[in-house]
Amino acid sequence: MAIKFNSILGTLLVVVATVLLHVSEVQGGRKIVINGDDWVDIPNLQDPKIVEVGRFAIHEINKEAKTELVFLKVIAGQSQIKSTEATINFKLLISALDRDSPHYYQVMVSDKERGKSRNLTSFKECTKFDKDIYTCRS
């Protein structure tokens, strides 16, 4: 009987350890990745830092393309942490006005050292088909 009790106890300990390790990876509904390629949904799109990244993207687009887009809001977004490079990458779907008409864009911004160095790495115009369905050009 002692052998069965020890194997059950051992199995229980393994299960508890696994659950604790998994819980330690998740914090506030967001998976914490130390250095990986995982993209994580941004839970608060109205966070001032996220809005600032969206505004930065529109500013850079205007500067490069000589346009006059006006930032409206961040519709969706994901982030990716690259700790070895002290970088957070943002992939955002944003809306902006172009001559009083709303347009949608998928942008990627690399944010190094907590905003000390930002770079717009990708910009694609998107089309809205339905309430939450967007298709972006390649």
Side-chain angles (χ1 to χ4, degrees):
M1 188 67 164
I3 294 173
K4 284 187 177 184
F5 178 74
N6 286 337
S7 66
I8 291 172
L9 183 59
T11 303
L12 182 60
L13 286 173
V14 168
V15 169
V16 169
T18 303
V19 168
L20 288 175
L21 286 173
H22 178 70
V23 168
S24 70
E25 287 182 0
V26 177
Q27 191 176 55
R30 295 179 58 180
K31 184 176 178 185
I32 305 302
V33 179
I34 299 304
N35 189 31
D37 293 330
D38 291 351
W39 286 90
V40 179
D41 289 340
I42 297 170
N44 181 5
L45 300 173
Q46 288 80 36
D47 181 305
K49 178 174 173 92
I50 303 305
V51 172
E52 180 184 327
V53 171
R55 288 185 186 279
F56 168 81
I58 292 296
H59 174 76
E60 290 298 300
I61 293 163
N62 284 338
K63 195 165 66 173
E64 291 175 19
K66 309 261 189 271
T67 58
E68 295 182 13
L69 300 175
V70 177
F71 175 83
L72 289 176
K73 69 178 182 174
V74 177
I75 298 168
Q78 295 181 315
S79 63
Q80 176 190 53
I81 298 171
K82 295 285 194 174
S83 63
T84 57
E85 302 167 14
T87 300
I88 300 176
N89 294 319
F90 294 95
K91 187 180 345 179
L92 304 176
L93 177 63
I94 58 179
S95 63
L97 287 178
D98 184 10
R99 297 187 196 117
D100 297 330
S101 175
H103 288 257
Y104 306 95
Y105 305 94
Q106 181 186 50
V107 299
M108 292 182 69
V109 174
S110 177
D111 189 27
K112 293 189 181 207
E113 299 176 18
R114 297 186 175 169
K116 291 181 183 173
S117 172
R118 277 198 183 128
N119 186 26
L120 178 66
T121 59
S122 174
F123 166 73
K124 299 176 185 178
E125 189 164 4
C126 304
T127 304
K128 183 176 182 178
F129 284 104
D130 201 359
K131 181 180 176 191
D132 294 323
I133 301 173
Y134 300 84
T135 300
C136 304
R137 290 189 233 174
S138 311

